[in-house]
Amino acid sequence: DPKNPNSICSDFVRSCCEDNLGNLWIGTFHGLNRYDKSTGQFQLYTANDNKPDGLTHSSIWCIVKDEQGTLWLGTYFGGVNYFNPETDIFTVYAANNSRNDCLNYPFVGNMVEDKDNNIWICTEGGGLNFFDRKTKKFTYFMADENRNSIAHNNLKAIAYSPERNKLYIGTHTGGLSIYDIKNKRFKNPYFEDPSYAVIAGDRINQMRIYNDELICTGPKGIFKMNLYTEKVSPLFKSGKYYGNACFLIDSKGYIWLAYGKGVWKINL
């Protein structure tokens, strides 16, 4: 509500995260909102605050909390903002591909933290960016058909399996890329396995790991991949589409799908 300063700043919500103090952080098209559940009050952070240590861009795509409780904010044009909720200070990793302490692309999507506390960052044009927390340096993984590489440079989703130490990366028009971190090898089943392309298609919108399966949405609907065999199959026998759905899987084994004009709750 524009007339109420104690309301969320935008109805276009992309990501939510709870910090270690129990506050909810909500990433929107027009800024970052902190919601204090104890008082019911909202606080807004935007790039227009004119703070030298403030947010670099108001369009927030992704919020990830690391093991230290720090929030990593992926923005649409301002790179990554690394934010400590207790100090209210932002650290910025901007895009400059001529420096190895910067991202190579300003449009940042999803991120994950691996078991060594390093950060893997999806960009929408610069491939996969790896941030080494010890050296503070970036490594870029970009598509190259002539070598071991990621399938496409426009990345939409990412998931991490600590047991396997593998990344599962959803791309736009390159399907799924699987990266074995220890052996430094990419596998791109969309280009390597014709049966994968029939079931999963060339685009992935969102993914989650549930038990020993990777569940993904894409143009062919929702499919699952067995993490042991890496074989794919449709998630639902009914053939329902749900391809553009946003979803999460709760602790009781239900998948919640935001699809069409409602939310579907399905027992997996």
Side-chain angles (χ1 to χ4, degrees):
D1 182 356
K3 299 177 182 178
N4 179 10
N6 185 38
S7 70
I8 195 168
C9 70
S10 170
D11 288 334
F12 193 167
V13 176
R14 297 187 177 118
S15 185
C16 299
C17 184
E18 185 177 17
D19 67 21
N20 289 344
L21 301 175
N23 299 306
L24 288 177
W25 295 85
I26 305 161
T28 77
F29 187 75
H30 292 299
L32 176 68
N33 290 256
R34 184 182 70 178
Y35 179 65
D36 187 327
K37 290 184 289 185
S38 63
T39 64
Q41 299 292 309
F42 282 93
Q43 181 177 354
L44 173 63
Y45 298 80
T46 72
N48 301 320
D49 293 338
N50 296 319
K51 295 180 180 179
D53 54 358
L55 194 64
T56 58
H57 201 277
S58 296
S59 185
I60 310 296
W61 276 101
C62 174
I63 308 173
V64 172
K65 184 180 73 172
D66 66 21
E67 285 196 355
Q68 299 173 357
T70 306
L71 303 181
W72 293 75
L73 312 172
T75 71
Y76 190 67
F77 197 74
V80 171
N81 287 236
Y82 175 74
F83 176 59
N84 187 325
E86 297 182 13
T87 63
D88 248 18
I89 294 176
F90 291 85
T91 300
V92 180
Y93 295 103
N96 185 341
N97 59 13
S98 66
R99 293 173 46 178
N100 64 4
D101 60 344
C102 295
L103 294 159
N104 71 341
Y105 207 77
F107 299 147
V108 175
N110 288 288
M111 296 175 275
V112 291
E113 182 181 20
D114 66 24
K115 63 182 181 181
D116 297 316
N117 304 122
N118 297 311
I119 306 295
W120 298 83
I121 302 165
C122 293
T123 72
E124 296 196 5
L128 182 66
N129 284 214
F130 167 71
F131 180 65
D132 188 313
R133 296 282 285 271
K134 294 179 182 177
T135 65
K136 307 295 184 185
K137 304 298 182 183
F138 284 87
T139 302
Y140 315 128
F141 297 87
M142 301 185 69
D144 184 344
E145 62 182 18
N146 296 316
R147 63 182 178 88
N148 169 42
S149 77
I150 200 165
H152 199 276
N153 288 330
N154 189 340
L155 311 184
K156 299 296 184 181
I158 190 167
Y160 173 68
S161 169
E163 298 85 4
R164 298 164 182 83
N165 203 23
K166 287 184 177 181
L167 294 167
Y168 302 90
I169 306 148
T171 78
H172 182 74
T173 70
L176 176 70
S177 276
I178 304 169
Y179 184 58
D180 185 325
I181 296 175
K182 179 180 178 181
N183 297 313
K184 300 181 179 181
R185 294 295 303 175
F186 279 97
K187 182 178 180 180
N188 300 310
Y190 176 74
F191 298 107
E192 300 165 11
D193 181 359
S195 65
Y196 170 92
V198 172
I199 295 171
D202 65 348
R203 283 164 285 158
I204 292 176
N205 301 322
Q206 193 175 4
M207 59 173 61
R208 296 277 191 278
I209 291 176
Y210 174 70
N211 292 337
D212 292 314
E213 292 180 325
L214 179 73
I215 297 177
C216 307
T217 57
K220 300 281 188 176
I222 297 187
F223 69 92
K224 61 183 178 180
M225 184 184 76
N226 185 294
L227 296 183
Y228 288 106
T229 65
E230 296 185 349
K231 298 297 182 182
V232 297
S233 60
L235 182 62
F236 300 121
K237 294 179 181 179
S238 65
K240 279 190 175 291
Y241 180 62
Y242 298 124
N244 293 322
C246 293
F247 73 97
L248 63 81
I249 301 168
D250 68 19
S251 61
K252 297 181 179 179
Y254 288 93
I255 184 168
W256 296 75
L257 294 153
Y259 179 74
K261 295 184 178 180
V263 175
W264 300 73
K265 175 188 175 186
I266 302 169
N267 190 327
L268 287 174

